[in-house]
Amino acid sequence: MGLIYIPATGQGPIPTSALPCSPQEYASPHGIENSGSELLLIRISFSTSDPLKKTILSRSRGTVEEFYLAGRNLAWWQIGASLFASNIGTGHFMGLAGTAVTSGIAVGAFEWNAPFLLCVVGWIFSPIYIKAGVVTMPEYLKKRFGSYRIQFLLALLYLFLYVFNDISLEICTGAMFMRMVLGLDVYLATIVLLTITGIYTITGGFAAVVYTNTLHAGIMVLGSVLLTGFAFKEVGGYRELLNNYLNAKPSIIREGNWTAKPECYLPRLDSFHIFRNPITGDLPWPGIVFGVSIISLYYWCSNQIFVQRCLAGKNLSHVKGGCVLCGYLKLLPMFVMVMPGMISRILYPEKVACVVPSECEKHCGIRAGCSPMAYPVLVVELLPSGVQGLMLSALLASLMSSLTSVFNSASALFTMDIYTQMRPMATEKELMVTGRFFVIILIAVTIFWVPIIETTHSEQLFVNMQAVLSSLVPPIAAIFLLAMFCRRVTEQGAFWGLAGGLLIGFLRVVSVIVYGPQSCSANNKCPPIICDVPFLYFAICLFIVSLLTMLGISIFTDPIPDKHLLGLCWSLRKEERVALDAEVQGKRSIPAFQAESDVFEESQSCLQEVCRVFCGLEPRPGPKLAPEQANMEKMEHGDTPEGTEHSDMAESPCWRNAVNTCGFLLILTTVLCHVFYY
C-alpha cells in the first residue's frame, strides 16, 4: 500500500506521496558516476518493451475487452507479477525505508495485510465481478444498484485519487530520487519517462502494460534483494541489526538554547514489534488489525488498478493463482525495504536520523527531517559500480510500472463510466479513440503537475496527501462491502451513505490543510479532535459511520427485488439476473444498427495508415455499437450478452485444489510472520 508512518508529525500513517521532493531539498551531494556498465543496466528499464513489440502490435487492440482487459487472456504469473509491480513504486522503496528509520518494523504490517485481502479478492470478489461482466468498478455498482449517479460519483472520485495521490506520489518520490542519486534535470527526465510509458500504454493497451509490468517486477525483486544483501553484510547480519538499532541516534541533538525531545531522536523501544499499545503506540494494534484492513479492502478489492488485472485472467484458477503469487511477493518488502531502512539509520545516523533543523537542512535541504533519503543513501554508499546500475533500473522500473498502471486504469474509468454517459450511443471505435486520447491528457496533466509539486512546500504537501487518502477511502470500502454481502442495501442508502462519508472526509481534509503540518519538535495549535486522532482510528470511525448510514437509510426505502441481484451478491452468486437498469436503458433512443463512419476505410495517406495500425484501429469484424448497446441487441435476438456470463468461470478440480492449497499456505505463512514479530 502507498502508506507510510512518520512519528514526528504526530498524525499517524500518511501516504508516501507526501514526501518532500522540491529540487532545493534533495540536491545530490554524491551522485553516481555514469559508467558504461551502469548506463547499460539503466537502459534495461527503458528497453524492456522492445522484445514485446511484435506481440503487442500483433495483438488486436480495437475493442474494449482487448484494450482494457487484454482479451481476458492473462496467465496467473502475469497477473501476480503485474499486481506486484503496479503496487510497488518509488514511493514504496523510499517511503517504507524512510518510515522504518523512525518507527521500526511496524510499517511492514501494511504490506503483510495484503496477502489476506488478496485472497479475499481472488476467492470472493473476483468471481462476482467476472460473472457480472464488468470492466470497471463503478460499472459493477451501477449494475448492483441500477444507479448512474453512484457510477458517476465513484468514477470522479477514483480519478481524483489517481491524479492527486497516486501520480503525485510517484512523481514526487521519483523526482527526489533522480535529483539526489542521478543528478538529473527532473523536469526533462520526467518528460522522457512519460513519453516512453505513454507510447506503449496508448498503442499496446492493457496487454503492453501487463507485459512490461511483468519484466519490471523481476528487475525490482532482483535489485532490492541485492541491496538487502549488501546492507546486512555491512551492518554485520540480522543479530547486529537487533543489537544496534535501538542505540542508533544522532550525536547533535541541540542547537543554542534548544534541545530536541528524546522521543524525536531516540528509536522506539517497541521498534521490533508490529502490535503496539492501543493508546501510546504510534501504530496502535486495533488500527493495525481493523484500520489497515479497511484501507486494504479498498486498495485490493475495489481499486480499479488492481481488480482490472483479476478481470483479465483466463479463468478463476489463473486469477486465484495470480493473487497468491502477489501475496507471496508482498511478504518481501518487510525484509528488502523496511529492514534496509533501519540499517541505514545504524550506518548513517547523522544523515537519516538528524533532529536539529539546521543539520537536516545541511544534509537534505529540509528542516523537518531526512528519513526519506534512507534508501537512496544505501544505493549511493553501499553498492559497487555495476550493481548500482541494476538498482537504479529497479527504481526506474517501479516508477514506470506504477504510472502506466494508473494511466490505463484511469482511461478505463473515464471512457466506460463518464464518456458513455455523455455519449450513450458512442461506437466502440470512438470509445477506443477516447480512451487513448485521455491517456495523452493524463500525461500532459502529469507534466504540468511536476513543477507544482517541486515548488510546493514539502511539509504542506505532506499533510495534504495524508488528508486526502485517509479521509476518502473508508466510504468506498463500505459501499463495496455492503454491495457484495448485504442484499438489503438500496440505491438510496448506498448513495447517501457514500456521499455523507465523503463529506465528512473532505471536511477533515480541509481542516488538516488549514492547520498545516505538525512537527515533533514544534508546538502546533491544531485542535486535538483533528490532529491527535490516529489515522487508523479515524478510518475505522468513518467506515462505521458510512456503514450505519447506508444500512439506516436502506431500512426506510424499498428493497431491490432479488431477481435484479442474482449473480451480483455473494449469497446469490450462482444465479442469472434480470438487469436492474434495463428499463432505464430501454428508454434511450438506440437504433437497431448504428452505421459507423467509413473514414478508416477510405483511401488514406501512408502516415494515417501507420497511425491506424499502430493504435490498433484497423478495420475488423466485430460489433459496431458500444458494448452495452451490442449486448442489448444480442438480448433482443435471444443470445447471451457478451460479458454477462464469463465462459471460463469453471475451474478444473486439479487446479482448484492446487491454488486452494497455495492460498492456505500463504495465509498460514503470513500469520506466522505476524506471530514472530508480534
Side-chain angles (χ1 to χ4, degrees), residues 4-77:
I4 63 171
Y5 180 87
I6 295 183
T9 65
Q11 295 193 36
I14 59 171
T16 49
S17 46
L19 291 170
C21 58
S22 65
Q24 293 80 13
E25 291 166 357
Y26 281 94
S28 172
H30 308 285
I32 291 180
E33 296 181 0
N34 293 322
S35 65
S37 59
E38 288 163 359
L39 292 176
L40 179 62
L41 287 168
I42 293 175
R43 188 173 179 270
I44 294 175
S45 64
F46 294 98
S47 61
T48 49
S49 60
D50 290 345
L52 303 171
K53 287 178 181 177
K54 277 189 177 181
T55 304
I56 293 172
L57 291 179
S58 64
R59 180 182 294 272
S60 180
R61 299 149 284 139
T63 66
V64 169
E65 188 172 274
E66 290 162 350
F67 187 74
Y68 290 125
L69 296 179
R72 298 186 186 270
N73 197 40
L74 296 184
W76 63 272
W77 55 273

Side-chain angles (χ1 to χ4, degrees), residues 346-628:
I346 297 174
L347 299 178
Y348 316 105
E350 303 301 332
K351 293 181 180 179
V352 300
C354 62
V355 67
V356 176
S358 61
E359 288 295 311
C360 294
E361 189 172 20
K362 180 177 67 175
H363 290 299
C364 64
I366 181 172
R367 299 175 64 85
C370 296
S371 60
M373 68 184 292
Y375 205 86
V377 166
L378 290 177
V379 175
V380 173
E381 300 288 349
L382 288 186
L383 297 183
S385 179
V387 181
Q388 282 181 347
L390 179 60
M391 192 63 237
L392 299 180
S393 296
L395 292 170
L396 292 177
S398 69
L399 175 62
M400 295 172 67
S401 296
S402 298
L403 288 178
T404 54
S405 299
V406 172
F407 290 159
N408 186 267
S409 297
S411 172
L413 289 168
F414 177 81
T415 304
M416 304 306 299
D417 298 312
I418 297 178
Y419 188 78
T420 52
Q421 294 195 35
M422 298 165 55
R423 283 186 53 81
M425 298 168 61
T427 64
E428 193 156 40
K429 185 167 291 185
E430 181 181 345
L431 294 180
M432 293 299 91
V433 173
T434 302
R436 289 176 166 92
F437 184 72
F438 187 74
V439 174
I440 297 176
I441 294 177
L442 275 179
I443 293 174
V445 170
T446 304
I447 294 175
F448 175 77
W449 194 235
V450 172
I452 296 178
I453 293 179
E454 285 193 326
T455 56
T456 300
H457 194 275
S458 61
E459 292 177 318
Q460 190 64 41
L461 179 65
F462 182 93
V463 174
N464 293 353
M465 297 305 162
Q466 182 270 344
V468 169
L469 188 64
S470 66
S471 304
L472 302 182
V473 162
I476 302 176
I479 192 173
F480 274 93
L481 184 67
L482 291 180
M484 189 67 63
F485 295 104
C486 184
R487 293 150 54 183
R488 186 59 182 84
V489 176
T490 63
E491 190 276 342
Q492 296 90 336
F495 176 78
W496 291 111
L498 176 64
L502 294 178
L503 178 61
I504 296 174
F506 273 113
L507 291 177
R508 177 178 168 87
V509 169
V510 174
S511 300
V512 173
I513 292 176
V514 167
Y515 285 104
Q518 295 190 88
S519 174
C520 179
S521 57
N523 295 324
N524 192 283
K525 299 181 180 180
C526 181
I529 192 63
I530 296 176
C531 296
D532 288 352
V533 177
F535 167 86
L536 296 176
Y537 281 170
F538 178 81
I540 295 173
C541 294
L542 184 57
F543 179 77
I544 294 175
V545 169
S546 300
L547 277 180
L548 295 179
T549 302
M550 294 175 188
L551 291 172
I553 296 177
S554 296
I555 292 176
F556 296 99
T557 54
D558 295 332
I560 300 175
D562 282 354
K563 67 178 182 178
H564 298 308
L565 303 179
L566 301 178
L568 297 178
C569 295
W570 179 251
S571 59
L572 303 173
R573 61 189 180 280
K574 296 183 179 180
E575 306 294 336
E576 297 298 327
R577 64 184 278 267
V578 177
L580 182 59
D581 55 346
E583 182 178 343
V584 177
Q585 292 192 23
K587 296 179 181 178
R588 295 183 177 185
S589 176
I590 301 179
F593 177 85
Q594 181 176 339
E596 197 168 331
S597 173
D598 294 331
V599 56
F600 290 99
E601 299 178 6
E602 298 174 356
S603 177
Q604 301 182 24
S605 67
C606 181
L607 179 60
Q608 289 175 317
E609 182 75 13
V610 171
C611 292
R612 186 187 67 186
V613 175
F614 199 55
C615 293
L617 298 176
E618 60 272 15
R620 51 169 293 168
K624 297 289 185 179
L625 303 179
E628 291 185 1

Side-chain angles (χ1 to χ4, degrees), residues 210-227:
V210 170
Y211 276 109
T212 51
N213 282 357
T214 302
L215 293 178
H216 288 168
I219 297 174
M220 285 188 283
V221 171
L222 178 59
S224 58
V225 168
L226 284 176
L227 178 63

Side-chain angles (χ1 to χ4, degrees), residues 192-332:
V192 173
L193 277 174
L194 291 176
T195 301
I196 296 173
T197 56
I199 288 176
Y200 69 77
T201 302
I202 294 171
T203 58
F206 190 60
V209 172
V210 170
Y211 276 109
T212 51
N213 282 357
T214 302
L215 293 178
H216 288 168
I219 297 174
M220 285 188 283
V221 171
L222 178 59
S224 58
V225 168
L226 284 176
L227 178 63
T228 302
F230 280 98
F232 273 103
K233 179 181 178 181
E234 183 70 18
V235 80
Y238 181 74
R239 180 60 57 184
E240 293 302 314
L241 169 63
L242 295 177
N243 295 335
N244 296 330
Y245 177 77
L246 295 179
N247 299 320
K249 60 182 180 180
S251 59
I252 303 176
I253 60 174
R254 59 176 57 88
E255 184 177 37
N257 296 327
W258 176 85
T259 301
K261 303 175 183 177
E263 59 267 23
C264 294
Y265 62 87
L266 290 177
R268 296 181 57 88
L269 296 178
D270 55 2
S271 293
F272 288 92
H273 294 277
I274 290 178
F275 300 109
R276 300 178 178 179
N277 189 283
I279 304 299
T280 61
D282 56 343
L283 285 174
W285 71 261
I288 290 293
V289 174
F290 301 107
V292 174
S293 298
I294 290 171
I295 299 174
S296 293
L297 178 63
Y298 153 78
Y299 206 77
W300 294 107
C301 300
S302 61
N303 190 335
Q304 176 67 24
I305 294 176
F306 303 105
V307 177
Q308 188 172 346
R309 281 142 180 82
C310 296
L311 298 178
K314 291 181 178 180
N315 54 48
L316 280 179
S317 294
H318 282 278
V319 173
K320 294 176 181 178
C323 292
V324 170
L325 174 60
C326 181
Y328 281 111
L329 292 175
K330 288 294 288 181
L331 298 177
L332 294 178

Side-chain angles (χ1 to χ4, degrees), residues 132-256:
V134 299
V135 177
T136 67
M137 294 299 93
E139 185 182 0
Y140 166 74
L141 292 185
K142 184 198 71 173
K143 290 190 174 186
R144 169 62 175 82
F145 297 109
S147 172
Y148 286 92
R149 59 178 180 176
I150 293 180
Q151 179 188 22
F152 189 78
L153 174 61
L154 198 62
L156 289 179
L157 181 59
Y158 277 145
L159 292 177
F160 177 83
L161 289 174
Y162 290 166
V163 172
F164 291 98
N165 186 75
D166 292 17
I167 293 179
S168 299
L169 157 66
E170 297 307 324
I171 294 300
C172 177
T173 54
M176 180 175 65
F177 169 79
M178 286 186 287
R179 180 168 296 278
M180 176 185 172
V181 178
L182 298 176
L184 298 177
D185 180 277
V186 172
Y187 199 72
L188 177 61
T190 303
I191 292 177
V192 173
L193 277 174
L194 291 176
T195 301
I196 296 173
T197 56
I199 288 176
Y200 69 77
T201 302
I202 294 171
T203 58
F206 190 60
V209 172
V210 170
Y211 276 109
T212 51
N213 282 357
T214 302
L215 293 178
H216 288 168
I219 297 174
M220 285 188 283
V221 171
L222 178 59
S224 58
V225 168
L226 284 176
L227 178 63
T228 302
F230 280 98
F232 273 103
K233 179 181 178 181
E234 183 70 18
V235 80
Y238 181 74
R239 180 60 57 184
E240 293 302 314
L241 169 63
L242 295 177
N243 295 335
N244 296 330
Y245 177 77
L246 295 179
N247 299 320
K249 60 182 180 180
S251 59
I252 303 176
I253 60 174
R254 59 176 57 88
E255 184 177 37

